[in-house]
Amino acid sequence: AQSVSQHNHHVILSEAASLELGCNYSYGGTVNLFWYVQYPGQHLQLLLKYFSGDPLVKGIKGFEAEFIKSKFSFNLRKPSVQWSDTAEYFCAEEAGGYSTLTFGKGTMLLVSP
Amino acid sequence: DGGITQSPKYLFRKEGQNVTLSCEQNLNHDAMYWYRQDPGQGLRLIYYSQIVNDFQKGDIAEGYSVSREKKESFPLTVTSAQKNPTAFYLCASSELGNNYGYTFGSGTRLTVV
């Protein structure tokens, strides 16, 4: 069975600090990767996705993620966080297409003003 | 606007009662999914359906049942056999092949007392 590991359950940063959230996936074949965000009281939204091509993908609100196949990693980054980035972030993989998403346990990010 | 509607937003039931959570989408998506979200556990797949009148068990299907009689509807029944039913339930949909990720509903918080 596929699994997704997110390294940190809770991260606390000050505004303007740089962010990197770790994500490792398990599937060894063709894989689609996603980052979702859940702001307080809101539904899950897609931040960005990787299917193929350029391993550095850019998403909404200044987020980006890098797919490193050799490390089975898909880390999320943002150069400078804002208070409004406070949310829970979920990494997910889809193995081989026409499959279902397997989610990590999530990372709660708190940005202090 | 297209989207997914889950109802109700909050639901309280007595232990031993079955309860059905509603999920409707007007996105014309073929696939629909039910996930359960618990603090620190991420999202875990309960059931999914890729076509009308067909559905598959996810990772934690025990104690749950679903039906898919119409493309736009995918109700979830939490039965009395589910040992820990209190949770946040999320419904999602996608096009087959999932090239655009999932669209999520706003969720139903079920509390069993």
Side-chain angles (χ1 to χ4, degrees), chain A residues 45-100:
Chain A
Q45 303 171 39
L46 181 64
L47 260 184
L48 48 79
K49 60 185 184 290
Y50 171 81
F51 287 94
S52 63
D54 189 345
L56 184 63
V57 293
K58 296 190 183 297
I60 60 172
K61 303 187 180 185
F63 286 91
E64 64 179 30
E66 185 175 12
F67 170 59
I68 302 179
K69 189 174 182 179
S70 61
K71 295 184 179 181
F72 291 81
S73 71
F74 190 56
N75 293 353
L76 181 71
R77 300 194 293 245
K78 186 171 184 179
S80 176
V81 294
Q82 302 173 314
W83 175 78
S84 58
D85 293 324
T86 293
E88 191 160 19
Y89 293 81
F90 295 93
C91 182
E93 72 166 359
E94 182 198 23
Y98 288 90
S99 182
T100 59

